Amino acid sequence: MLYISPQTENYMAVRGQFSNKLGFIMAAAGSAVGLGNIWKFPFEVGQGGGAIFVLMYLIFCFALCFPVMVTEIAIGRKTQRNPVGAFNALGFRNWNIVGKLGILSGVLILSFYNVVAAWAFGYVFEMAVGHFNVGAGFGSAESAYTTDIVKIGIYGIVFMTATAFIVNQGVSKGIEKATKILMPTLIIMILGLVIYSLTLDHSMKGLSFYLKPDFSAIKGKVVYSALGQAFFSLSLGMGALITYGSYVSKKDNILSSAALITLMDVGIAFIAGLMMFPFVAYMSNGTMEGVSGGPGLIFAVLPGVFESLGTIGPVIGAIFFLLLSFAALTSTVSLLEVPVAYAVDEHGVKRKRAVWLVAGLIFIIGIPSMLSGGYSEFFTGFIQYVKAEKATDFLTFVSDTASDTFLPLGGFLITVFAAYAWKRNNLEEELAQGASKYKGSFLSKYISIAITVVCPLILGSIFILTVLSKFFGVQIFA
Ligand code: TRP
């Protein structure tokens, strides 16, 4: 393995680097913004009882996740490594298990993420030809589309190949450019659809579900799903931002970059919700029935909405899913980059080889998820959690394990590491590089308290709550 010290002058030439601060923000925002905002956020809100989930989610993003985000980026920039190498480079080999857990999470997340991306990508064509009845209704597992395994398989291969292709080109080139153009376009399109959604019947019912919290509905599930969603959406807890941070220049301000990334990601999820819930109300004739249907939500609701647009429906629908596919692509790229950087840096595998090997392997791990949308009975009813009403499909099981459980655990361990092993003054030093007024500021005090006390305490307890109540049916509260 070639050891390149960050202090060596030419390390930048050897290790790719983002062209400038905006490039990093765009790439990291590209990683954050994806299916998590437009596919996962609305259905999690639906299952979490609406506005109360949204409120928890917002609090978690800003109060808990933001400190974790700056810590990840700082560790990455300081060490110029992948998540495993980063802990080694700081001199804490025992802690590299956190990086390994991150790599496992990334592999698991990408395995099912690619399947959902394949659904979305396939919808581009289904919409274009006016197949508006592709989903057989809200949350129906037997939808004709997700069981068409040949189609989904092909879309899935195309999607993973595109991801591998971009990762092979190196992080900075393709992603930055694509994100700069496509993300604003996606935002404009969603805003247009928000306006349209407000003109539809029953839209106020949808909005009040989304925005008027019912505090009596707060349950353990709402808390841990909101936290898992916050981590997933911000791409935190598995070292994706350690890896991206390793490409950031010492001159850049980590704090303002992280703030922008968080605002962009949360903002896009929020407007996606503003669009979706009036749509759900419209499609359900104001009953909001099916809103808790799970992963099929957008795929069931949106076709009917595009159909209602008349002759332009197919075009709008196809463009929407095309933009969504691009948003997903900048996320899958960041997910693949992590295990690839690990294989290259730590095991000396050639980059090209690592890319195709890891991508192929993850595609194979994703096959059961692909079959769990109704095609295979075994994978569709894969596991019965203790005291759960019904069996959980394989895709949801992997997502529950990786995003609701491993990511917050990873976040917990990263903050404990930064506070008690690496020590918070080292973190502060790194954060202050490129942020001259940081030391002694209010923000620095907050981050210091967050990583030493608030994050370890809350993330640790929610992790325990999640495992007990999700998988073992033990209800800690309500
Ligand atoms: N945040 C992305 C989304 O919302 C998914 C994602 C990309 C991710 N990279 C990640 C999630 C790393 C967790 C960790 O679609």
Side-chain angles (χ1 to χ4, degrees), residues 48-49 52 212-220 222 477-478:
I52 186 71
K212 241 173 89 193
D214 169 7
F215 288 94
S216 67
I218 191 153
K219 292 198 223 57
V222 176
F477 61 95

Side-chain angles (χ1 to χ4, degrees), residues 118-309:
W119 293 346
F121 183 53
Y123 257 46
V124 177
F125 309 103
E126 303 288 335
M127 292 297 111
V129 297
H131 278 177
F132 290 122
N133 54 355
V134 273
F138 285 123
S140 152
E142 297 83 45
S143 99
Y145 177 71
T146 55
T147 52
D148 191 337
I149 217 65
V150 176
K151 254 191 199 170
I152 304 296
I154 292 171
Y155 293 140
I157 291 174
V158 172
F159 211 87
M160 189 62 95
T161 308
T163 306
F165 196 80
I166 298 180
V167 172
N168 200 24
Q169 303 283 306
V171 253
S172 63
K173 284 184 211 148
I175 315 176
E176 285 183 41
K177 273 202 211 100
T179 311
K180 260 179 231 170
I181 304 167
L182 296 168
M183 196 138 67
T185 320
L186 179 67
I187 296 177
I188 291 169
M189 179 141 201
I190 298 176
L191 286 175
L193 287 167
V194 169
I195 296 171
Y196 176 62
S197 79
L198 296 178
T199 67
L200 295 170
D201 290 346
H202 311 295
S203 61
M204 288 306 138
K205 287 234 172 72
L207 276 190
S208 91
F209 176 83
Y210 184 51
L211 298 175
K212 241 173 89 193
D214 169 7
F215 288 94
S216 67
I218 191 153
K219 292 198 223 57
K221 180 183 158 44
V222 176
V223 175
Y224 68 70
S225 315
L227 184 70
Q229 174 61 22
F231 269 80
F232 183 88
S233 187
L234 293 167
S235 301
L236 287 180
M238 58 153 279
L241 291 179
I242 294 184
T243 309
Y244 271 29
S246 74
Y247 305 108
V248 175
S249 142
K250 290 279 180 206
K251 292 197 270 335
D252 287 346
N253 183 333
I254 293 181
L255 298 137
S256 63
S257 306
L260 260 171
I261 296 162
T262 306
L263 283 174
M264 241 189 279
D265 187 61
V266 172
I268 293 181
F270 188 76
I271 58 170
L274 280 184
M275 163 189 94
M276 273 310 291
F277 291 97
F279 282 163
V280 175
Y282 165 71
M283 293 297 290
S284 63
N285 272 318
T287 64
M288 295 308 280
E289 201 190 318
V291 73
S292 58
L297 187 65
I298 71 161
F299 296 101
V301 171
L302 289 177
V305 172
F306 292 129
E307 189 174 24
S308 74
L309 287 168

Side-chain angles (χ1 to χ4, degrees), residues 105-115 160 332 335-336 362:
S105 316
V107 167
L108 292 176
I109 290 175
L110 183 53
S111 80
F112 76 81
Y113 201 93
N114 190 58
V115 175
M160 189 62 95
T332 53
L335 284 160
L336 184 59
I362 295 179

Side-chain angles (χ1 to χ4, degrees), residues 434-473:
S436 50
K437 295 195 219 79
Y438 179 64
K439 279 193 192 157
S441 66
F442 172 76
L443 186 62
S444 115
K445 292 197 184 81
Y446 178 69
I447 287 180
S448 167
I449 293 174
I451 65 155
T452 44
V453 184
V454 186
C455 290
L457 217 65
I458 299 185
L459 296 176
S461 346
I462 299 183
F463 169 72
I464 296 169
L465 169 79
T466 310
V467 175
L468 289 178
S469 78
K470 177 164 217 115
F471 300 107
F472 297 103

